[in-house]
Structures are given as structure tokens and as C-alpha cells.
Amino acid sequence: MENTDHTDHDHDSNGHGHEHGDFFSRLLGPRAEIIFAGLAGICLLIGWLGPKLDVLPDPISFGFLLAAYFFGGYYALREALGKILIGQFQIDFLMLVAATGAAILGEWKEGAFLLFLFAIGHALENFAMTRARNAISALADLAPDEALVRRGDTTETVAIDALVIGDVVIVRSNERLPADGFVVSGQSAVNQAPITGESAPVDKRPVADRVKAAENPDTLKSESRVFAGSINGSGSLDVEVTKLSGETTLARVVTMVSEAETRQSPTQSFTKKFERIFVPCVILLAIVTSLAFLVLDETASQSFYRAMAVLVAASPCALAIATPSAILSGVARAARGGVLIKGGAPLESLGRLDSIAFDKTGTLTEGEPRLVDIVPYGDVEEDTLLKVSAAVETLSDHPLAEAVVRDAKSRLGSVPESATNFASITGRGVSARYDGALVHIGKLALFDEVDGAPVPDDLVETVNALSANGRTTMIVRQGERYLGVIGLMDTPREAAKAVIARLHEIGVSRMMMISGDNQNVADAVAREVGLDEAFGDLMPDEKVIKIKSLSEGQGVAMVGDGVNDAPAMANATVGIAMGAAGSDVALETADIALMADDLETLPFAVGLSRATSRIIRQNLWVSLGIVAFLIPATLFGLGIGPAVLIHEGSTLLVVSNALRLLGYNEK
């Protein structure tokens, strides 16, 4: 079988390598192996029944048994020889040795039966595994092959690969979108379920400023962004292309999900190590069993036959495929639900964790704070405080700054844009020169670090009072004069409380929040959404330290937006990014990416991971249990035929069990 993870066993890959060029595969197509298995069964049946029914002479019957050997063993032998030539020892080879041994003993019918069952088992196993892979490869077919492009005054149909950034594509009603981009004209509801897993269509409208949107498309709101592979509703849209065909969110998801199969989970690594020890032990046991006639009252042929049965019984095929089949099915099901899981390790790890840490802004909250308090200090007028604050914050791209500018405009009508020399003081605040003086805006801690007059005690009391009510506060000082404090509030996401409750039901026992906001704000949000703990006043580097400490022992998953939280997520046991669709940083840094900017897919991801871990454990117990039963059974006389029947049955059982994950639905 073809090995995608470059290990010493083949059952976790694509099946036999015949699809790449042998004569029969080219002649018969992808069903060649199942056809050969069927022919092996027909030849075996004729060769066995012919003499019994006295309708065929023995030589012709023997010829059919030889044909059964050929059809049943062709692909296994072809693959085994190919692996031996590169120094890899395959479990398939053990089956071929057993069939050869049966032939040497004159048990041609039994050997042909072994190869037939082995061939049909592998063919069905590969068919089942292909179902899981097709769920992944189907993603690649979501984007159309062509797009209608408006270039100047003309429109033309071009191949998707011919699209360039800045092209405007016309998407009519009920068509699939050909590229990632933003809406420049038209309104419609777009079904993004193939990309983000969102159950309801998302209303789309044009951007306000096309030039500005093109300069930084990753910051656009979901109401204007669209993704290749999603389905337009009843309206018509003009979409400006922001990514080439090979760089779209869909293309990256297809690539990453395909690569995920080769990234091994801890259980896969364990089974590989186990096989390296176990297979040589099987061979040694078979050799010892073949010499049993020296001490037991039986013939050499009887001992040899028993040794061949041991080879069949002890081949850990079910064990080898138990974990990969579950991982592949889990990853495929997750992708269909708008969750990108990068391999077996994060999928299995998330299923075992009972602690999750959340970032606050943009994760548990809407990420769109509102300016709710404007408290001038001394004889300062409210408009002055607001005007100076907005003038400086126009130079910042922080969500809090955008909120200040947006709400100041709504109150004042316009804000000055004459501030200069802007500087961001990480985790503390900002500074800029406005109206001839240096302005500082930020937390209390900022004014302990910069030169100038300390914050007056009565202003500190105002800040503390606002913070106690869940406000994020910013003190404003112009030169040596304190202008006052402004308070902002970021409301929790509507689904946050229900999601936290659902995670508790699933079995996540400890949920916490880490935030750069002060502890009072963090506690207020945590209480509202139902978290167990909140850690506030954390600088970016302190978030990393906190996550590292939480990851010790049982481990912790970290949920964030994948941009500002990338360092913390990288240090968590499992990093989970929200709103990853269209975000290169989120797709690259996270172990698990929730494609929609929606917390509601998190319980699905955790539940699926737990179901995958559960099925992996079931498969391991079944596969090891069958081997534990068959080895002594064959030593005490169980024949090759029944042994291979049980052996192949167990392999199909674990694959079928794993395929149940393709139909997983969160309850």
C-alpha cells in the first residue's frame, strides 16, 4: 500500500500503489483491485467445487486455484516487493508467506481462500478509506473553473487561474463565487457554509471605500468579504479579487486538510513504535512454532501449517489502521463543518483536554467596543476631551481607537486629523503630538512610565469606579494637563453564554479568560458569560507566560483571533483561531481554525475531537483484543481460513467504526 507518511507500514495510507501505473490498473481503472478480488473468489469457488461436483478434472480445477492465487495475491505481492526493494518490511508480506506455506503443504484451497479474503478485505478497506478522502477532495471542487470578469467596458469569461488581484468578477444569482474578495456593487445573501460552516446565509453589501478596502482587505467586516466556493443567493454581486486562485481560503484549506493526514497523533506514533517491536516478535514466534514438531507429537508439516496460521493471526493490520482511519474521518468531518484541524495531534489532544482559555476582545466579546463614558477633568469641556482623544486615535488601528474615532464623529460631526508623531506603547497606550503639545492616552500604568505629572488621586478614583462597572478606561493627558478619562465597553457575543454552558455539558471542566483589560473588566465579562476564572491586566508577553503555566500538567486549549493572540496560541497545548476564513495569520498559526467568526462551532469541534478519541480507543481495544485471541487460538489449532476471516473482519470493523465520524452531529 502507498505510504503517505513515510513510515514502515502501509495501512494508514492510500491503499495499494497500483493506481499509479501497472497494466491492469490502467486497463480496469480505479476498481481494478476489487475486480481482482472478485475474480480470485470466482476462481477459488470453481477450483473447489469442480472436483466435488465431478464437473471438472483435477488438473483444470488446480488451474483455477492457481488463478485464484494470481488474482488474490497480485497487488499484495506487487506492493510487498516494491517495499522490500527500498528496505521496508510489510505486514502484507506475512500474508504472502502464509499463502506460500499453505501451497508448499499442498493446501492450495486454503491458501487461495486466504489470499481471496485478504484481497477482498483490502479492497473494501481501501474503498471505505476512499470515502473519507473523497470528503476532503470534494472541497477542491467547490470553486468554479471559470469566472465572468469586467475589465474596463468589456466583460469576458476567463479561467480561474487567469484572474489577477484587482479584477472585478460578476457573480449572478445562485452561482458559486470564483475568488476571495470584497463586494464593490450589489447586495445578496451568500451561503458560506462550504467554507465557514455557517448554517444561515450571510447578507453582503458593498464596501464604503473601494480604494481603502483594497489596501487592507483582511480588516474588512464579514458583510463585505466573500470567499471562493461559497454560493451566491438571489442578488447579483460585483466582487473585486483580493487573492489569486492558489491562495484563496478554499485552496489553503484543501491543502492543509490534505496535509493533515500525514501529521501523526500521539496514538499513531505509539502504534508505529509498537509495530516495529511486535512484527519481528511475530516472525520469531512463527519460526519457533514451525519447529514445534521437535518437541511435540506432530509432523513437521503440521507445525509449519500452525506457524503460517500464527503469521496471519498476529499481523496487526487492524491496529495499524485503527487510528489513521479515525483521524482521517474526523478531519474530513470537521472540514465539512467549517473547522480546519491540522492533523491527528491537535484533533486527539483537544479530545482529551478539560481546560480552555479564551481571549476576551473579539473572541468572547463582539470586538466592537462602544464609547459609553466621557468624563472631563476639572474645567475641561467634554468636546475638548473628545476632540483631542479622537485626533490622536485616528492614527491607530487598534479596535478601541477605532471605536473612539467612530463614536466621536457621531457626536461631533467630524474629528481633527492633524495629530503627528504617533507612537504605540505596547500594552499601555499611545502618544502623539497635537495642537503643539504631546498627548498621552492609555491605562493608569502608562503614566507611571512616561515623564510628566502623576495622575491626580480624584481622577484615579474615577477610573476605578468606571472599571468596577466593566468599562475599559483610557486617561487623556495633553502636555502636563489631564483632560479626563473615557470609558468604553465591549459587549459579550450573543452566543458566548450558551457556548460556555454547552462546553460544560460536553465535559470541559475549567474555562477561563485571559485579557489585557483590567481585572475588574475581565471579572465582569467572565461573570456574564459563565466562565470559571478570569486573568486580567496581562501584557502580551504575560499572556504567553500564563498560557505556558496553564499548559503544564493536563494541558490547555487557547481560543483567540489568531492575530494578536498568535504567540499565546502557539504556546498552548492546542491553539484555536476564530474567524480564520481569509486570515493568513490565523490559518498558519492555529492548530485548529474555526473558519467562521462564530463561537458556536467550538462545541462542535470539541465534541468531534472527543468522539474521535473515543473511537480511537474502541478501535485499539478491538484490534489488540483480536490479536490477543487469535495468537493462542492458532497455536492451539485454529486453521488459516478462520484466522484470516477473523483477521480481515476486524480490520473492516475498525474502519467502519471510524467512518461513523463522517456522520457526526453535535447533540
Side-chain angles (χ1 to χ4, degrees), residues 207-389:
V207 294
D209 187 331
R210 179 175 172 181
V211 175
K212 188 175 180 180
E215 290 174 353
N216 199 356
D218 286 351
T219 63
L220 295 176
K221 295 182 179 179
S222 61
E223 65 188 24
S224 297
R225 299 182 70 183
V226 294
F227 307 106
S230 52
I231 306 165
N232 188 23
S234 57
S236 180
L237 297 175
D238 286 6
V239 175
E240 181 167 328
V241 176
T242 57
K243 291 186 178 179
L244 301 178
S245 62
E247 299 170 354
T248 63
T249 298
L250 176 63
R252 293 170 68 84
V253 168
V254 171
T255 299
M256 289 181 175
V257 172
S258 300
E259 290 174 350
E261 188 184 349
T262 67
R263 296 170 179 156
Q264 293 189 351
S265 72
T267 304
Q268 282 175 283
S269 299
F270 164 76
T271 55
K272 292 298 176 186
K273 294 174 183 176
F274 178 81
E275 287 173 41
R276 293 190 187 103
I277 299 171
F278 184 70
V279 172
C281 291
V282 169
I283 297 171
L284 182 61
L285 177 61
I287 293 172
V288 172
T289 304
S290 69
L291 300 175
F293 71 93
L294 297 175
V295 293
L296 298 178
D297 184 19
E298 65 181 18
T299 64
S301 61
Q302 288 174 321
S303 294
F304 186 70
Y305 178 88
R306 188 182 292 115
M308 296 303 100
V310 167
L311 283 180
V312 173
S315 297
C317 296
L319 177 65
I321 202 167
T323 304
S325 58
I327 295 295
L328 181 62
S329 298
V331 168
R333 176 64 187 97
R336 204 170 72 235
V339 179
L340 172 61
I341 301 180
K342 297 182 182 177
L347 177 62
E348 195 172 339
S349 296
L350 181 61
R352 295 175 176 175
L353 294 177
D354 59 6
S355 297
I356 299 179
F358 295 85
D359 174 58
K360 182 182 79 71
T361 305
T363 302
L364 288 173
T365 62
E366 293 289 351
E368 292 189 5
R370 302 189 315 274
L371 182 58
V372 291
D373 297 290
I374 306 167
V375 185
Y377 182 67
D379 60 353
V380 176
E381 294 184 359
E382 184 176 296
D383 282 3
T384 301
L385 171 59
L386 200 54
K387 186 180 297 183
V388 172
S389 302

Side-chain angles (χ1 to χ4, degrees), residues 98-156:
T100 303
I104 292 172
L105 294 172
E107 301 287 346
W108 288 93
K109 298 184 189 69
E110 195 145 4
F113 183 55
L114 185 160
L115 290 175
F116 162 66
L117 289 177
F118 189 60
I120 199 71
H122 269 225
L124 292 174
E125 170 193 317
N126 292 336
F127 171 78
M129 291 294 285
T130 298
R131 275 194 61 197
R133 289 190 180 87
N134 286 345
I136 294 173
S137 61
L139 291 171
D141 298 328
L142 291 176
D145 297 324
E146 295 179 327
L148 182 63
V149 183
R150 178 181 291 116
R151 290 173 174 166
D153 296 328
T154 63
T155 59
E156 58 180 312

